[in-house]
Amino acid sequence: LDPSLRAISPSLLLSDHQGLIQSIDFDRDSSVMVSVGTEPAPFQWPIAELTNSRLAQSIAQNKPPKHIRVAATSDVISALAVDPSGKYFAVADYANHFNVASFAQPEALVKQWAFEDSSAVSIAWHPRSTYVVAATLEPASSIVFSPIGTAPNNGLHRIDMVQSIKSIAIDPLGKWLVVLDNDGLVSQIQWSAIEATIAVPAQPPIKPITSRGSRVTIIGATVGNDGESALITGGEDGEVTLWNLGVEPALKSRQSIHASQVTALAVSARGLMGPIASGDDLGTIGVWRADAAQAVAKLPVHRAAISSLDMSSDGRWLAAASLDGEVTLWDLSRDELPMVRLTSSAGPATFVRLDRSLRWLAVGHEQGLIELWDLRHARLLVEESDKRPAHTPPKTLQPAADEGNVPIT
């Protein structure tokens, strides 16, 4: 049997959440997992307890490890983000709370604020973990940020914005804050100008990247193949576009990969020097490279929208979650992109995350369930699936040579 057709059951099912799983992440050594559903608190799970013996015992007794509720939120969580060092996580709720906690002591908050007139909908960390930034909802649309090294309840700075913000991102070099508004327009603010407002309050220059007529649905800040700051955007029209940040011309290249709205993006720590993955609301995954003139790989495996993608830091492994309930794991280092299905009966999958050590793959579902797969087993099956006879064509790979990477000069 082709290993890519096998259904691998999860190693553990966590069922404490009551509603749709919005986000999952891990601390720096993958010993703790944090998750967000529709409850008024994120949950923290001691994943380090999942040794083989304890895992077997937990499954046999149907008693998964106890989670820890993080305090100081009182409404549905609106945003969660783990800092690049893996020491802290920031969380906001719809009751206008915005807090920072440490994985080591989640009950003792590092930072705690309450906005008077709005709640945060997106959170980003500066790559040096020195600042945490949040974008707030109307009627007071703004960018708020704070240095992490200051006293717990001060140091919050605010930049008023005209547009209603959907999400924000900071490039890995820490040079640019990128803003996606609810009209589908993207703009950039230089980070040095944001820092300058701490000493002298002022409105930093906001420079548009995209123009009206093409609505962006998702953004991802990264590093370009020239080592400079770059941006990936996915649009309603199915196009995936690469942009320079702070450099003219801003438009770098464009891929017409998808026939419908882009719903997910993923890139490795190598940025545009590694593979780029995107997913759409018809269930197609596109994989391509910005630094090579090669065909796009279109992977029409899923039967419903791709809700989430995640890629390992080295760019080898790609995990995809879909509303069809299936999760797939791909080896991007092989020409045929071997794949294995991680199938369950937990319902539509809404979020996927690979841990930093590549030991665990966590998937959240619409009904509040979280599944954990042991990646050591899954990766072996993917590697086995690539040992097909040379004459056997890949079943899921469809090259699209007429939709290649189009450079903009």
Side-chain angles (χ1 to χ4, degrees):
L1 179 65
D2 185 340
S4 69
L5 301 179
R6 298 176 185 171
I8 305 177
S9 299
S11 302
L12 192 65
L13 181 67
L14 307 175
S15 59
D16 288 34
H17 281 290
Q18 301 303 312
L20 181 148
I21 303 300
Q22 304 179 55
S23 185
I24 302 171
D25 215 331
F26 296 86
D27 70 345
R28 59 181 172 178
D29 58 3
S30 302
S31 63
V32 177
M33 182 179 76
V34 62
S35 58
V36 168
T38 57
E39 298 85 1
F43 289 177
Q44 184 168 307
W45 307 85
I47 302 301
E49 295 183 7
L50 300 185
T51 61
N52 288 334
S53 58
R54 290 201 176 201
L55 179 58
Q57 183 180 10
S58 295
I59 294 175
Q61 298 177 354
N62 195 25
K63 294 181 179 179
K66 292 294 184 180
H67 62 76
I68 302 170
R69 285 180 178 263
V70 181
T73 50
S74 58
D75 203 340
V76 175
I77 302 300
S78 57
L80 169 78
V82 173
D83 84 298
S85 73
K87 295 180 180 179
Y88 305 102
F89 61 91
V91 62
D93 67 14
Y94 285 110
N96 304 348
H97 296 110
F98 178 38
N99 305 318
V100 176
S102 70
F103 279 101
Q105 295 180 304
E107 300 90 347
L109 296 177
V110 177
K111 293 275 189 177
Q112 182 178 4
W113 300 283
F115 303 132
E116 294 181 0
D117 50 7
S118 57
S119 56
V121 293
S122 182
I123 301 173
W125 286 86
H126 193 273
R128 295 193 298 273
S129 302
T130 51
Y131 290 91
V132 61
V133 186
T136 65
L137 277 171
E138 289 182 312
S141 186
S142 62
I143 300 293
V144 293
F145 65 101
S146 174
I148 290 302
T150 59
N153 291 307
N154 62 17
L156 188 65
H157 304 272
R158 182 169 179 161
I159 300 170
D160 293 327
M161 303 289 287
V162 175
Q163 67 271 45
S164 176
I165 302 172
K166 180 180 180 180
S167 63
I168 57 174
I170 301 175
D171 74 283
L173 301 179
K175 295 182 178 180
W176 297 92
L177 173 70
V178 182
V179 179
L180 171 62
D181 68 28
N182 282 321
D183 291 327
L185 298 175
V186 183
S187 56
Q188 59 186 331
I189 308 174
Q190 193 166 10
W191 186 258
S192 59
I194 293 175
E195 281 188 312
T197 65
I198 297 176
V200 182
Q203 188 74 10
I206 302 173
K207 184 178 179 180
I209 297 176
T210 61
S211 57
R212 296 190 180 277
S214 178
R215 287 178 58 89
V216 172
T217 56
I218 188 169
I219 59 175
T222 186
V223 177
N225 44 17
D226 56 1
E228 294 299 323
S229 302
L231 176 71
I232 308 174
T233 62
E236 280 187 348
D237 56 5
E239 285 195 341
V240 180
T241 308
L242 308 183
W243 308 85
N244 295 307
L245 291 177
V247 179
E248 297 292 345
L251 191 55
K252 190 178 182 71
S253 65
R254 178 181 289 124
Q255 282 279 8
S256 297
I257 299 174
H258 302 281
S260 61
Q261 178 175 310
V262 180
T263 55
L265 294 171
V267 67
S268 73
R270 298 175 61 197
L272 301 187
M273 291 179 284
I276 302 165
S278 53
D280 63 33
D281 60 5
L282 294 180
T284 298
I285 301 170
V287 180
W288 54 291
R289 297 180 66 95
D291 60 354
Q294 67 181 53
V296 176
K298 297 182 72 173
L299 311 171
V301 173
H302 293 277
R303 305 180 306 277
I306 302 299
S307 55
S308 180
L309 294 170
D310 196 23
M311 191 179 295
S312 61
S313 60
D314 61 0
R316 178 177 179 181
W317 300 99
L318 174 69
S322 170
L323 296 184
D324 64 8
E326 287 194 343
V327 180
T328 49
L329 181 67
W330 305 81
D331 185 350
L332 304 186
S333 69
R334 310 294 180 91
D335 290 340
E336 292 189 346
L337 304 184
M339 175 269 290
V340 68
R341 298 174 189 269
L342 308 174
T343 307
S344 73
S345 58
T350 56
F351 196 86
V352 64
R353 179 69 76 202
L354 296 165
D355 82 313
R356 299 173 189 227
S357 66
L358 289 180
R359 166 70 191 277
W360 299 106
L361 185 150
V363 178
H365 291 269
E366 199 173 74
Q367 301 303 317
L369 300 175
I370 297 176
E371 295 173 305
L372 279 171
W373 276 273
D374 190 331
L375 276 179
R376 295 172 299 180
H377 179 212
R379 283 183 291 170
L380 285 174
L381 281 181
V382 174
E383 292 166 357
E384 182 182 340
S385 75
D386 197 39
K387 296 176 182 178
R388 291 186 291 258
H391 66 273
T392 304
K395 294 183 175 64
T396 59
L397 183 59
Q398 294 184 358
D402 59 336
E403 297 177 349
N405 196 8
V406 181
I408 306 296
T409 58

